[in-house]
Amino acid sequence: MEETEFDDILDDWFIESLKTYKDLHVYQLEHPTQVIEWTSGKTVCVAGFTSSKNEILELRLPLKLFADENKGLCAERDFKVVHGGFTDAPVRCLRHIPGTRCVVTNDGLSSDLQVWDLGGDDSDVIRRTGSVDGSRGVSEGGSRIAARLSSQPQVLHGAESAGVRLTQLTSGQTVYTLETDSADPLSSLHFVSDAVFLAGCSNGKVYIADTRTSAAPQLSPPPPSSGESVLWWTDASAGPSCLDPSSCRIVRLSSCGQTVISDLRNPGGAVSRAQLDVQTRRCNADDVRVSWAPALDDCIAVSGFSGAVQIYSSSVWTTELQEAQPLFEHRGHAVSSQSDDGVPVFVTSHVWHPERPRTLLSAASDGSVHVWDWVDQSAAGC
Amino acid sequence: RSCILVSIGGKNIMLDCGMHMGYNDDRRFPDFSYITQNGRLTDFLDCVIISHFHLDHCGALPFMSEMVGYDGPIYMTHPTKAICPILLEDFRKITVDKKGETNFFTSQMIKDCMKKVVPLNLHQTVQVDDELEIKAYYAGHVLGAAMVHIKVGSESVVYTGDYNMTPDRHLGAAWIDKCRPDILISESTYATTIRDSKRCRERDFLKKVHESIERGGKVLIPVFALGRAQELCILLETFWERMNLKAPIYFSTGLTEKANHYYKLFITWTNQKIRKTFVQRNMFEFKHIKAFDRSYADNPGPMVVFATPGMLHAGQSLQIFKKWAGNEKNMVIMPGYCVQGTIGHKILNGQRKLEMEGRSTLDVKLQVEYMSFSAHADAKGIMQLIRMAEPRNMLLVHGEAVKMEFLKGKIEQEFSIDCYMPANGETVTVTTNPSVPVDISLNLLKREMALGGPLPDPKKPRTMHGTLIMKENSLKLVSSEQALKELGLNEHQLRFTCRVQLQDPHSDTDTLHRIYTHLKSVLKGYTIQHLPDGTVMVESIVIKVSSSTEDPNTKVLLLSWSYQEIYIYL
């Protein structure tokens, strides 16, 4: 594309954005990231995923974003690199252990985890402090990781359903192991309360287990009409609105855009479903993300199928499978990327801000990271 | 504030001479006692170089040259030379006239200081004296900003000043060749920042202007003639055209004349796009932007006005501000830093009640927006610059030294160079490997090449034997014989001998013969001779056998070799 043509399209999108976004920040990292993880209300971690040396960075979000009353007087729009570290392997999964300055990573090549100390005020170095063994030697896709606030720092991890374990970080001891009949590769792990967690499998199964008991986990089978090569991703809504774990909802998204929402009280059934308007492309299992908005009702964000992040409102969905249109689409990465090799850019990760209802961070394969606060143009909905 | 002293090859250079804008007392000036405790600085400095016209880089220059005392050359680019005195005078007026300070430079001092300035052109080597040379490179950032390359003999330093690596609407990006300086000096704050894109900053500006206009408000944008005015005008003009907006946009007179004058003078310092535009038309000829008349400020309805001066400390922008401040629908957008003591500084600090002349108070009800458009490099940019220049060492200034280990490690790992981060007041010593050029005599060269073996690799060091003669300012390497001849000295040959005792009952001759046979079998490939004079020679090592006088069974072997042989056979 000619430079002026590209500039015009980009300008058009920016002009449009005056009405469609409250805040918009566009950054360029040196290397793309597949992970964005909150380490505090104002800091996130990102990391590279090349096959050799990579950086793990802890970035502080621009002050302007948080300066609510005095926003006009704050000119500070940039990310600050507060801590950084090096790793010799790709970082495919990164999880912060709440209540600590610790993060745990997995390189996607085996199920072992690396443990890091993010550092405090006196140093800007992120240091490797140890490792946690996975249950198998080598596994495709690597481990999923989950963590929640607890008195003793613990991490829940696994590459397959049979063998998910809860490990004590300081001692390395395994305090719980999930036992399932089959070893299904995982696409996600989520805590819905201190003790209850969900293991979402790529084949669409979801196991619901309680770390306090040794009883067999509940199994929610994959949604019907799920084909052989279809992959599934899951998210569970857990948070301040979810005091009773059984009222949590699970969203399952397939690689062809089919979405099913179920209730933890009735994990086999479906509360609602929809066919999402995702561009089908040969998508990498690693890139797709589906997430519930923590501070909005019934809103889901989907990314990884293209260069856009889509927000859907599931409140209008029914049990009948119907096409759903996104409430909002962030096309910033697609529009502002000038790819040299003709390979279209795709979004590698997104996260919601834990408290600000419509603020998200998204990252793409060209190294861009956007922070955006979208405007809900519809009368009803989120 | 920026003020760095570099000692290189016996020369002392001051890089920038900035004012610290946060202090009101003498702490705002650099501490020149590092150079000398008392007296003028002229004897201690070979030159002063100023990178650009921002006050944190040149604000203390008249103080240094006229109040502390320096009469040597001060180097800066042409645009910097033209713009510096204007900013310094404005700054002086605010500090002395408005704040009533006394230990400050005068207008005359600014003029006297500027008389010492020697202007620089880009990419032109300037000989400060017969050993020190400097060259300026384009830095982007602001009009006339330069990065400077300093060379003494074979040692060099590059100082970046402030720069940026992405071109914007009116300036290009910094550029430097692969000059491989011994040290590259840059700001550490860049390396720990990841900058929000220019477009997002512009978007914010347009959004704020548009929102004010939509609710019927008036927008005041105080600007400095050579600051962002031009750029923001282009932005608004494009936006107004696209959105088909009708509200009037004005710029105050004086702004356009000055701006046009300077841009014409320094057209080569702007980017391609501006140069093309300028050729076609006047810089400030816009469809939607018109000249302002002071009476327009009272017109009803929305409007946007660009007015000088930039910090609201006097003149037209202050007059307009006073008229519009009381209405909350209105807005003032400050596109840059404001010096302490100005109204701009006060409102940016949240002050909502201002004391004006005659003890009247002004209630600030309009919306105040602070926007930063200045172009700076960031983490990615600094790595790009290092890749361009290929320095041997990196020096980062103005960081929180304690906390920069990651950054240091990153640079050291990626480029395999040392990275230094001195705190204010700290001295860093960097050892360099200066290359010393030496002439070699043709004979010596031929002889060394004739030694045989594979052809020498020009990149690999090679041991050779010669004599270095230093005469006046030249160095040459000649063969020892030639050196002896030139110096008129006699050659002395040294031979070493050592004695080895053996128990052997045979006759001297037999023992010698046995030694000869033995050596012939173990030292293959070497010339071994049994000479008629009763010696064995291994190459040029001589072996003689004689019996001990006390005991005929004890044989004494004499081994003798010349000095030359040591390194071949040991």
Side-chain angles (χ1 to χ4, degrees):
Chain A
M1 192 187 288
E2 261 232 39
E3 199 185 316
T4 42
E5 203 187 316
F6 170 79
D7 278 342
D8 283 341
I9 295 178
L10 188 55
D11 278 341
D12 282 342
W13 183 76
F14 267 97
I15 304 266
E16 197 192 307
S17 79
L18 293 182
K19 286 264 172 333
T20 52
Y21 295 82
K22 233 178 78 195
D23 285 318
L24 179 63
H25 296 257
V26 165
Y27 303 93
Q28 191 63 36
L29 297 178
E30 275 181 87
H31 306 285
T33 181
Q34 224 176 14
V35 300
I36 310 175
E37 171 80 348
W38 292 100
T39 54
S40 80
K42 299 195 169 132
T43 52
V44 290
C45 256
V46 295
F49 54 96
T50 68
S51 51
S52 57
K53 239 183 166 48
N54 291 287
E55 285 176 5
I56 302 177
L57 302 174
E58 188 185 27
L59 307 175
R60 195 187 62 212
L61 266 64
L63 297 175
K64 196 174 175 76
L65 204 59
F66 302 101
D68 287 311
E69 301 88 51
N70 287 324
K71 219 176 172 84
L73 302 181
C74 182
E76 190 58 68
R77 299 184 64 96
D78 305 323
F79 269 144
K80 187 105 175 82
V81 179
V82 283
H83 292 96
F86 298 102
T87 171
D88 289 326
V91 176
R92 298 279 179 194
C93 190
L94 188 150
R95 198 62 65 206
H96 173 238
I97 310 294
T100 71
R101 284 293 289 159
C102 194
V103 296
V104 176
T105 61
N106 174 262
D107 59 13
L109 304 166
S110 83
S111 59
D112 296 333
L113 309 179
Q114 298 80 41
V115 184
W116 306 82
D117 174 17
L118 291 173
D121 289 331
D122 53 350
S123 151
D124 68 339
V125 179
I126 297 178
R127 275 179 233 280
R128 174 90 182 262
T129 53
S131 53
V132 172
D133 289 331
S135 53
R136 303 239 188 292
V138 178
S139 63
E140 267 180 51
S143 283
R144 304 285 109 193
I145 313 171
R148 81 279 186 250
L149 191 62
S150 68
S151 51
Q152 289 273 7
Q154 293 173 335
V155 64
L156 183 71
H157 59 109
E160 291 167 344
S161 55
V164 170
R165 23 166 108 158
L166 183 65
T167 307
Q168 201 91 278
L169 275 183
T170 36
S171 62
Q173 248 192 324
T174 302
V175 297
Y176 169 87
T177 312
L178 176 66
E179 279 167 23
T180 58
D181 294 328
S182 52
D184 307 299
L186 291 181
S187 62
S188 64
L189 274 178
H190 302 278
F191 272 106
V192 293
S193 75
D194 282 346
V196 177
F197 71 89
L198 259 62
C201 307
S202 320
N203 56 18
K205 285 187 196 168
V206 175
Y207 290 97
I208 303 143
D210 188 322
T211 58
R212 294 167 296 195
T213 80
S214 51
Q218 259 192 300
L219 166 61
S220 169
S225 74
S226 171
E228 271 289 309
S229 56
V230 172
L231 299 170
W232 289 87
W233 296 272
T234 314
D235 189 26
S237 67
S241 59
C242 198
L243 298 159
D244 173 14
S246 60
S247 72
C248 278
R249 281 170 310 159
I250 310 169
V251 60
R252 265 179 277 211
L253 169 69
S254 82
S255 47
C256 33
Q258 205 199 119
T259 313
V260 177
I261 296 177
S262 27
D263 202 304
L264 218 58
R265 284 171 291 201
N266 177 19
V271 167
S272 55
R273 29 167 82 87
Q275 177 60 46
L276 301 189
D277 178 23
V278 295
Q279 288 166 255
T280 40
R281 67 169 191 111
R282 185 191 57 77
C283 62
N284 204 337
D286 264 347
D287 304 321
V288 174
R289 304 272 187 276
V290 58
S291 62
W292 286 104
L296 287 177
D297 291 333
D298 306 325
C299 273
I300 300 169
V302 172
S303 71
F305 290 96
S306 66
V309 181
Q310 295 172 318
I311 315 273
Y312 290 90
S313 170
S314 64
S315 58
V316 297
W317 297 357
T318 63
T319 47
E320 252 185 65
L321 183 64
Q322 282 186 336
E323 273 192 23
Q325 289 303 315
L327 184 63
F328 186 84
E329 199 170 18
H330 173 68
R331 292 182 302 113
H333 295 283
V335 167
S336 58
S337 166
Q338 254 181 324
S339 62
D340 307 314
D341 50 4
V343 175
V345 75
F346 58 91
V347 175
T348 52
S349 185
H350 76 259
V351 286
W352 289 86
H353 189 284
E355 280 135 43
R356 299 165 67 93
R358 270 168 287 274
T359 303
L360 285 99
L361 272 78
S362 54
S365 53
D366 61 352
S368 56
V369 171
H370 295 181
V371 182
W372 39 286
D373 189 343
W374 53 283
V375 171
D376 183 6
Q377 314 236 285
S378 68
C382 326
Chain B
R1 83 178 93 57
S2 296
C3 186
I4 302 164
L5 291 171
V6 173
S7 287
I8 172 175
K11 304 286 170 187
N12 293 331
I13 300 133
M14 180 182 286
L15 300 169
D16 280 339
C17 192
M19 185 79 85
H20 195 305
M21 311 308 275
Y23 291 119
N24 279 327
D25 51 27
D26 287 353
R27 283 175 301 175
R28 60 182 155 200
F29 299 120
D31 187 355
F32 299 112
S33 66
Y34 279 107
I35 305 174
T36 174
Q37 292 288 340
N38 43 34
R40 301 178 74 79
L41 305 175
T42 317
D43 293 332
F44 298 90
L45 293 174
D46 292 280
C47 71
V48 173
I49 305 175
I50 302 292
S51 62
H52 63 288
F53 62 65
H54 277 156
L55 291 172
D56 54 344
H57 289 256
C58 73
L61 190 62
F63 172 81
M64 192 269 300
S65 71
E66 307 311 305
M67 291 170 83
V68 178
Y70 170 74
D71 301 308
I74 300 173
Y75 292 96
M76 58 180 79
T77 61
H78 286 274
T80 311
K81 183 179 179 195
I83 300 166
C84 239
I86 305 173
L87 284 184
L88 287 169
E89 180 53 32
D90 264 355
F91 179 42
R92 188 210 66 78
K93 253 199 259 185
I94 295 166
T95 311
V96 175
D97 300 348
K98 286 225 167 279
K99 290 166 75 194
E101 301 212 15
T102 46
N103 188 26
F104 215 76
F105 47 83
T106 62
S107 291
Q108 187 57 43
M109 286 181 187
I110 296 174
K111 293 194 180 98
D112 293 336
C113 171
M114 296 313 286
K115 287 195 192 120
K116 299 170 183 168
V117 170
V118 179
L120 293 170
N121 286 316
L122 283 179
H123 307 162
Q124 202 181 53
T125 307
V126 169
Q127 294 289 141
V128 176
D129 59 36
D130 50 8
E131 284 164 315
L132 169 62
E133 59 182 54
I134 62 177
K135 193 199 276 194
Y137 288 92
Y138 191 78
H141 184 56
V142 292
L143 193 65
M147 305 190 288
V148 71
H149 181 248
I150 299 150
K151 194 155 114 146
V152 178
S154 61
E155 290 179 313
S156 61
V157 164
V158 167
Y159 171 58
T160 64
D162 285 345
Y163 65 102
N164 64 288
M165 300 301 284
T166 42
D168 63 26
R169 284 178 203 270
H170 75 303
L171 291 174
W175 181 86
I176 192 165
D177 49 19
K178 231 190 260 293
C179 51
R180 299 209 172 100
D182 289 293
I183 310 177
L184 177 63
I185 304 176
S186 190
E187 289 272 329
S188 53
T189 38
Y190 290 165
T192 51
T193 306
I194 298 179
R195 279 198 196 275
D196 189 11
S197 71
K198 197 67 187 299
R199 273 202 159 87
C200 280
R201 291 170 205 270
E202 292 176 346
R203 175 196 172 268
D204 207 27
F205 171 71
L206 292 175
K207 190 166 198 288
K208 293 285 170 333
V209 171
H210 195 213
E211 279 167 4
S212 297
I213 297 294
E214 287 217 302
R215 60 171 183 246
K218 296 169 166 55
V219 182
L220 170 65
I221 308 170
V223 283
F224 167 56
L226 277 133
R228 301 283 144 185
Q230 228 280 326
E231 203 181 351
L232 296 177
C233 280
I234 298 175
L235 195 54
L236 276 189
E237 168 95 345
T238 321
F239 185 58
W240 246 241
E241 185 74 19
R242 233 182 237 276
M243 306 289 281
N244 202 19
L245 296 173
K246 300 292 172 219
I249 314 176
Y250 302 108
F251 41 53
S252 61
T253 48
L255 172 66
T256 58
E257 284 150 25
K258 269 199 213 123
N260 267 321
H261 169 71
Y262 286 111
Y263 274 101
K264 245 193 225 140
L265 266 183
F266 305 121
I267 196 70
T268 48
W269 285 86
T270 60
N271 68 16
Q272 278 286 78
K273 280 195 206 145
I274 297 279
R275 262 174 268 162
K276 271 198 229 152
T277 319
F278 201 70
V279 166
Q280 288 161 23
R281 58 164 203 210
N282 167 3
M283 293 282 270
F284 273 82
E285 208 173 272
F286 293 109
K287 210 164 114 185
H288 302 278
I289 313 183
K290 304 284 171 228
F292 185 68
D293 182 278
R294 62 156 74 175
S295 62
Y296 298 172
D298 298 314
N299 288 357
M303 72 173 84
V304 181
V305 177
F306 287 92
T308 56
M311 298 185 260
L312 286 180
H313 53 284
Q316 191 163 65
S317 62
L318 183 59
Q319 270 176 25
I320 301 171
F321 177 76
K322 284 192 213 167
K323 283 195 194 217
W324 294 357
N327 188 336
E328 65 224 355
K329 279 202 259 183
N330 295 341
M331 179 185 283
V332 63
I333 299 180
M334 309 296 298
Y337 178 78
C338 293
V339 158
Q340 260 194 52
T342 57
I343 302 246
H345 184 91
K346 294 189 177 130
I347 60 174
L348 287 180
N349 274 314
Q351 226 176 302
R352 302 302 275 180
K353 272 194 181 357
L354 298 170
E355 248 189 53
M356 312 299 285
E357 296 95 51
R359 296 230 204 112
S360 61
T361 2
L362 181 66
D363 268 327
V364 179
K365 294 211 181 115
L366 56 45
Q367 218 176 308
V368 179
E369 289 286 332
Y370 183 20
M371 296 195 185
S372 166
F373 291 99
S374 63
H376 281 287
D378 66 359
K380 190 169 175 194
I382 209 176
M383 302 303 266
Q384 282 175 304
L385 187 72
I386 299 175
R387 246 169 247 130
M388 257 196 215
E390 286 191 14
R392 297 197 164 87
N393 297 280
M394 191 67 208
L395 192 96
L396 293 170
V397 293
H398 299 152
E400 293 150 65
V402 185
K403 296 177 40 150
M404 312 280 291
E405 228 188 291
F406 166 65
L407 174 60
K408 188 165 142 58
K410 184 174 144 115
I411 291 176
E412 286 176 351
Q413 271 185 44
E414 175 135 359
F415 301 108
S416 301
I417 60 177
D418 282 328
C419 180
Y420 301 88
M421 295 166 160
N424 279 346
E426 201 185 311
T427 308
V428 166
T429 308
V430 178
T431 333
T432 61
N433 264 337
S435 54
V436 180
V438 170
D439 291 328
I440 181 171
S441 83
L442 199 57
N443 282 332
L444 183 59
L445 195 59
K446 279 190 188 162
R447 190 176 78 183
E448 287 297 318
M449 282 183 65
L451 277 177
L455 268 179
D457 179 350
K459 294 229 159 95
K460 278 204 172 141
R462 186 197 155 112
T463 323
M464 58 182 298
H465 190 204
T467 307
L468 183 70
I469 303 184
M470 300 199 321
K471 214 169 172 179
E472 280 129 35
N473 274 333
S474 74
L475 292 127
K476 57 180 178 164
L477 200 59
V478 299
S479 66
S480 317
E481 297 85 27
Q482 192 178 334
L484 286 169
K485 224 196 301 181
E486 279 194 36
L487 297 168
L489 296 171
N490 289 327
E491 187 177 349
H492 297 269
Q493 290 271 353
L494 289 172
R495 277 198 87 83
F496 294 86
T497 310
C498 90
R499 296 178 133 81
V500 178
Q501 285 198 327
L502 280 184
Q503 288 299 113
D504 194 331
H506 301 97
S507 72
D508 290 358
T509 335
D510 282 346
T511 309
L512 188 68
H513 186 80
R514 284 177 65 220
I515 289 169
Y516 168 71
T517 324
H518 176 72
L519 287 177
K520 252 215 119 71
S521 70
V522 298
L523 290 180
K524 306 235 196 282
Y526 289 99
T527 314
I528 306 180
Q529 296 170 286
H530 190 353
L531 299 175
D533 65 354
T535 61
V536 164
M537 275 192 73
V538 178
E539 298 289 324
S540 61
I541 299 174
V542 179
I543 305 171
K544 250 185 169 158
V545 174
S546 56
S547 300
S548 152
T549 39
E550 291 94 27
D551 172 20
N553 286 339
T554 307
K555 299 285 180 288
V556 176
L557 260 69
L558 282 170
L559 266 83
S560 166
W561 64 91
S562 74
Y563 176 70
Q564 233 85 3
E565 261 50 75
I566 294 175
Y567 62 87
I568 295 173
Y569 294 117
L570 276 181

